[in-house]
Amino acid sequence: MSDSSEDGAGKAGEGGTGSLGGGSPDAAWRGAERMRDAFNEHVVDPARRAGEAMRASGERVAQNGSALGTTIIDQAEANAREAFAALRSATGARDLTEVMRIQGEYLREQGQRSMEQAREIGQLIMQFGREAIRPAEKSEEPKREE
């Protein structure tokens, strides 16, 4: 392909009828600059923006993963604290009936706690999903304004 363009440029320069060879070197230079600018605008800049968006997205994923991990650890800590509190109560019980009552209360409260914790985790995950979509929409907005 480069051979034919060199031949065309040579013929145009000799005959004076071609668009590349017939003009001044400055015109050829300006044409090359326009092609470079167009390439940058249509290929390089979008690729750079995509790379920056991916990097920012990766940072958000790491932050969200950290927040989710911290929440799960906090929930596990609360569950362990409640389990030990129930065990302490059971060790101070006077009879088997009281132990069964303490255990029943603990299980009922733990079931409610588990549902609330699952709801909290679900809400965090939905929030992270919304945040993951939002930056893509924002990155397109400035492009439309330009």
Side-chain angles (χ1 to χ4, degrees), residues 37-54 139 143:
D37 292 344
F39 180 78
N40 284 339
E41 181 181 338
H42 295 290
V43 177
V44 175
D45 291 344
R48 181 184 44 77
R49 284 192 302 270
E52 290 170 356
M54 287 178 65
S139 68
K143 181 65 179 170

Side-chain angles (χ1 to χ4, degrees), residues 8-145:
K11 289 178 184 175
E14 293 169 7
T17 59
S19 61
L20 289 177
S24 69
D26 289 337
W29 184 257
R30 284 191 302 271
E33 285 180 341
R34 282 194 299 270
M35 287 174 30
R36 185 192 64 223
D37 292 344
F39 180 78
N40 284 339
E41 181 181 338
H42 295 290
V43 177
V44 175
D45 291 344
R48 181 184 44 77
R49 284 192 302 270
E52 290 170 356
M54 287 178 65
R55 185 175 29 258
S57 178
E59 290 171 1
R60 278 189 305 280
V61 166
Q63 290 169 351
N64 292 343
S66 178
L68 186 60
T70 300
T71 301
I72 291 171
I73 290 171
D74 290 345
Q75 291 176 351
E77 184 179 9
N79 292 341
R81 209 176 17 253
E82 293 299 322
F84 281 111
L87 286 172
R88 282 191 187 91
S89 295
T91 59
R94 293 179 295 262
D95 59 10
L96 184 60
T97 307
E98 192 173 351
V99 170
M100 296 299 286
R101 180 188 59 75
I102 291 169
Q103 185 179 20
E105 286 176 6
Y106 167 76
L107 290 173
R108 185 180 63 254
E109 290 170 359
Q110 182 58 38
Q112 290 172 346
R113 231 183 346 268
S114 293
M115 288 177 59
E116 290 170 8
Q117 290 170 348
R119 187 177 312 118
E120 182 181 5
I121 295 295
Q123 288 173 344
L124 277 175
I125 291 171
M126 287 183 351
Q127 175 187 343
F128 297 157
R130 284 190 297 268
E131 289 174 1
I133 292 171
R134 217 175 295 139
E137 294 171 353
K138 286 182 181 178
S139 68
E140 292 177 11
E141 288 175 8
K143 181 65 179 170
R144 290 181 197 143
E145 292 174 1

